[in-house]
Amino acid sequence: MNKLLNKSVRRRNLLTGGLALAGGAGATRIGGQGAAQAASHASEPALGMHAHGQMITVGDVGTDINGFDPGEILTDWETGTVSQTDDGRVLRSFEVTAEDTEIEIAPSVTFPAWTFNGRVPGPSLRATEGDVLRILFRNNGSHPHSMHFHGIHSAGMDGLAGSGLINPGDEFTYEFTAKPFGCHLYHCHAFPLRAHMHKGMYGGFIIDPDPSKHGEYFNVAQSRLLGSAENAKWQEMIMVMNAFDTNFDGENEFYMVNSVAHHFMKHPIVIDKNRPVRVYLINATEFDPINSFHLHANFFDYYDHGTTLTPTLKTVDTIMQCQAQRGIIEFSFADHDPGMYMFHAHQSEFAELGWMSMFDVRGGV
Ligand SMILES: [Cu+2]
C-alpha cells in the first residue's frame, strides 16, 4: 500500500490539493527547566490553523513507527563517553552504526532510508573545542558508507576511499581534535554522493567553544557550553532542514526540519518567552540549491557556521543556506505577546510541502 501511495505522491499534485487540513495533535516541549515546568496543554488543539486555511498533511507520524521523534531530536545531544587520553586531554568516544531503515516522513508515506544509528538526521554529536574525538563507525548497511566530518582533521580521517569509506560488515575509527568550534555536520561521502545524502546520511556535529580560550568573549563562549549554568538559561535546539524524493524522480516531494513534514505545525515547539532561544540550523537538503529559514514577527542574529562569538548578521528575519551550510540563530520573544509564531522556509513551495512550523510562545512557562 505504501509503495502505491509513494508512486501517486508527486510534488505538483501535492501543491494542487494532495494535502488537506489536519487537526492539532499537541505540543513539543524542548528540554531544560522551562520544559519541566510547562503546564500541560497536550489535549488541546495545537493551533487555530483551520480558520487560516493552512494546507498541511493529514494525520500524524507516531514515534513508535520511526523510533525517533522530530521534537526529541531538537534536544537529544549525543555527548559520547568521556575519559582521558594519556596526556590528560578529554577523550570523547562515540559509536555510530550505518543501517538500512524504513522511515515514515509524512503520514503513510514511507521512505527507504540509509541511516546513522537508525534515525534521520543521525545523532547530534556534541563536543567541546579541544576534545580528542574517537568515533567508532560500523557499516551494517547494504552499501559502502563513511562519515565525513566538516571540521579540521588529517587526510586519513576524511571519510573518502582509503580514509574511512568502508564496505558492509566493516568498521573504522575516526580520530581527530574537535575544532573549530561551531555548528557543523557530518555526512556519508560515498559516491554517488547525492544518493547517499538524499537517503538520509547526515547529522549535526556541534563543537562548543572552550571559554578559557576566548578572553573578552568568555561569557558568550560560556553560554554556548553545554552543561554550564549560563547555557542552561538558553532554549537550545537543533533543526536539520531536509527533504525527500519519494518517487525517485530527482525532485523532492516533502520538505521539513528533522524528517517529518509539518510535524511542528501539529506539535508546536513550546518557548518560554522569558528565556532566549538558540537554534543550530543545518541544511542537508539534496536536489534544491538552497533552503531558508524565516521567522515571523521577530528578528534574529545569525552566526554563519557558528565559528564566531559575535554575529555575522545582525537583525535579520530570513537567512539562506546552500547544502552543508549551517549556522546559529539567536532570538528572544521577551517583548512579545504569548501566542503562535510561525517559522518556515521562505521558498513558499517548500513551506507548503512540509517545511512550515510553529513556536508556541508562552509567558511564565
Ligand atoms: Cu553512504
Side-chain angles (χ1 to χ4, degrees):
M1 179 184 133
N2 286 335
K3 276 187 184 137
L4 280 174
L5 230 165
N6 285 351
K7 274 185 190 157
S8 68
V9 172
R10 293 186 191 282
R11 179 184 176 116
R12 306 296 157 186
N13 293 348
L14 288 175
L15 281 176
T16 53
L19 302 179
L21 294 172
T28 293
R29 291 198 181 73
I30 64 167
Q33 57 196 126
Q37 292 165 7
S40 173
H41 292 252
S43 59
E44 296 175 9
L47 298 170
M49 62 180 71
H50 303 79
H52 300 278
Q54 302 286 2
M55 298 291 285
I56 66 173
T57 54
V58 178
D60 207 8
V61 173
T63 307
D64 52 326
I65 296 171
N66 277 338
F68 64 83
D69 177 273
E72 289 169 11
I73 284 176
L74 291 173
T75 55
D76 64 345
W77 310 109
E78 173 59 63
T79 54
T81 303
V82 176
S83 58
Q84 277 205 332
T85 61
D86 291 342
D87 59 353
R89 301 168 69 193
V90 172
L91 171 64
R92 213 175 271 277
S93 304
F94 300 92
E95 292 189 19
V96 177
T97 302
E99 50 196 61
D100 299 359
T101 315
E102 186 167 84
I103 63 171
E104 192 167 293
I105 52 112
S108 299
V109 180
T110 57
F111 182 80
W114 297 339
T115 63
F116 291 116
N117 287 0
R119 44 171 269 185
V120 181
S124 304
L125 307 184
R126 190 156 176 177
T128 303
E129 179 182 19
D131 290 352
V132 176
L133 305 183
R134 189 175 286 166
I135 303 107
L136 171 59
F137 175 56
R138 296 188 182 90
N139 186 356
N140 287 350
S142 56
H143 292 71
H145 295 301
S146 74
M147 294 180 77
H148 165 71
F149 287 86
H150 284 235
I152 296 172
H153 49 252
S154 69
M157 295 291 145
D158 203 36
L160 303 177
S163 60
L165 175 58
I166 56 173
N167 286 317
D170 287 350
E171 63 180 49
F172 184 87
T173 300
Y174 304 94
E175 188 169 318
F176 50 89
T177 300
K179 61 183 179 182
F181 72 83
C183 173
H184 307 305
L185 76 159
Y186 61 88
H187 60 86
C188 176
H189 215 301
F191 291 95
L193 184 56
R194 71 176 184 166
H196 289 251
M197 285 292 292
H198 146 253
K199 282 287 223 171
M201 303 201 80
Y202 43 78
F205 174 42
I206 310 301
I207 302 177
D208 295 334
D210 174 353
S212 70
K213 295 188 170 92
H214 297 288
E216 62 175 310
Y217 296 106
F218 180 92
N219 290 338
V220 181
Q222 188 85 336
S223 87
R224 286 216 202 147
L225 181 63
L226 188 67
S228 72
E230 289 74 9
N231 179 263
K233 294 173 188 163
W234 288 76
Q235 299 173 94
E236 288 195 335
M237 61 197 86
I238 186 168
M239 295 185 188
V240 178
M241 299 190 287
N242 55 354
F244 295 95
D245 170 16
T246 51
N247 59 5
F248 303 99
D249 63 354
E251 200 175 56
N252 292 311
E253 275 68 50
F254 292 92
Y255 295 80
M256 64 284 282
V257 288
N258 297 353
S259 299
V260 176
H262 291 135
H263 179 84
F264 296 112
M265 290 298 289
K266 301 167 193 172
H267 306 272
I269 300 170
V270 176
I271 295 291
D272 177 347
K273 69 182 248 131
N274 297 312
R275 294 166 59 211
V277 182
R278 178 180 287 138
V279 177
Y280 294 87
L281 183 75
I282 297 168
N283 181 19
T285 311
E286 190 56 75
F287 303 123
D288 294 283
I290 59 165
N291 206 326
S292 63
F293 177 104
H294 165 62
L295 178 61
H296 279 208
N298 207 341
F299 279 69
F300 54 82
D301 286 349
Y302 184 65
Y303 303 73
D304 191 23
H305 290 69
T307 45
T308 58
L309 294 173
T310 54
T312 51
L313 277 177
K314 281 189 74 70
T315 321
V316 294
D317 70 5
T318 307
I319 56 104
M320 295 188 298
Q321 293 180 342
C322 68
Q323 188 187 60
Q325 198 173 356
R326 66 277 183 190
I328 296 173
I329 289 172
E330 292 181 353
F331 53 90
S332 168
F333 279 103
D335 296 329
H336 283 65
D337 293 329
M340 292 291 177
Y341 292 91
M342 185 177 275
F343 61 102
H344 60 92
H346 220 304
Q347 290 97 325
S348 309
E349 187 182 34
F350 294 7
E352 287 162 13
L353 293 174
W355 182 176
M356 179 164 50
S357 304
M358 284 285 184
F359 287 121
D360 176 1
V361 175
R362 300 180 186 180
V365 175

